[in-house]
Amino acid sequence: VQLVESGGGPVQAGDSLRLSCARPGGTFNRDAMGWFRQAPGKEREFVGAIRWSTGNVYYSDSVKGRFNISRDKAKNTVDLQMNSLKPEDTAVYYCASQPAWHIISIRVLKAYSDWGQGTQVTVSS
C-alpha cells in the first residue's frame, strides 16, 4: 500500500501546521494509521496513531496536548494537526499503516508495513 503525505513546509515557532496522509487511488484497508518523524542524525520516532475503525488515538509524550490525529472516512485521509510548534519538532514526518491495532505494536516502527515518502517540517525560532 503506497501512502502519500502532504502539507509540510517551513513555519515559525508557535505556529500550526496540518499534514495529511492519503492512499492514491484507493482506501487504506488498514486499522492502524501511524505518524512518525525523523530529525537529522536521529532515529525515526513514533509521534502518534489512530485506529481507523474507531477513531481511538494514542500519542507520544513529546507531542501530547499539542498534536491531534484525525481521520476522514469520506476522503480516506488521516491528518496530523500540529499546534504550538517548536524548533525540536523539525523533522521529516511519515505516515504509515499496519493491518491491525495493538496498543504495543502501534508504537513500533518495524510493525508498520506501509510507508509514505515523508514530508519536511522545519520550525524556526
Side-chain angles (χ1 to χ4, degrees), residues 23-35:
R23 182 195 174 194
T27 60
F28 291 115
N29 290 322
R30 299 288 189 268
D31 203 26
M33 302 297 300
W35 284 96

Side-chain angles (χ1 to χ4, degrees), residues 54-69:
T54 64
N56 288 355
V57 292
Y58 186 88
Y59 301 100
S60 69
D61 288 342
S62 62
V63 305
K64 194 177 297 181
R66 297 189 298 123
F67 289 12
N68 291 293
I69 300 174

Side-chain angles (χ1 to χ4, degrees), residues 5-78:
E5 304 94 340
S6 61
V11 294
Q12 298 287 323
D15 285 352
S16 297
L17 197 62
R18 190 175 186 91
L19 307 182
S20 187
C21 176
R23 182 195 174 194
T27 60
F28 291 115
N29 290 322
R30 299 288 189 268
D31 203 26
M33 302 297 300
W35 284 96
F36 288 76
R37 65 185 182 185
Q38 187 166 18
K42 295 187 176 181
E43 294 186 352
R44 196 171 298 189
E45 66 171 358
F46 173 76
V47 173
I50 187 167
R51 188 172 188 175
W52 184 261
S53 57
T54 64
N56 288 355
V57 292
Y58 186 88
Y59 301 100
S60 69
D61 288 342
S62 62
V63 305
K64 194 177 297 181
R66 297 189 298 123
F67 289 12
N68 291 293
I69 300 174
S70 60
R71 92 288 198 223
D72 188 323
K73 288 190 171 184
K75 296 181 180 179
N76 286 313
T77 58
V78 174

Side-chain angles (χ1 to χ4, degrees), residues 84-106:
S84 301
L85 282 162
K86 305 175 182 179
E88 51 263 44
D89 294 318
T90 294
V92 177
Y93 284 72
Y94 300 87
C95 70
S97 66
Q98 58 178 285
W101 176 273
H102 298 289
I103 196 62
I104 300 298
S105 68
I106 59 169

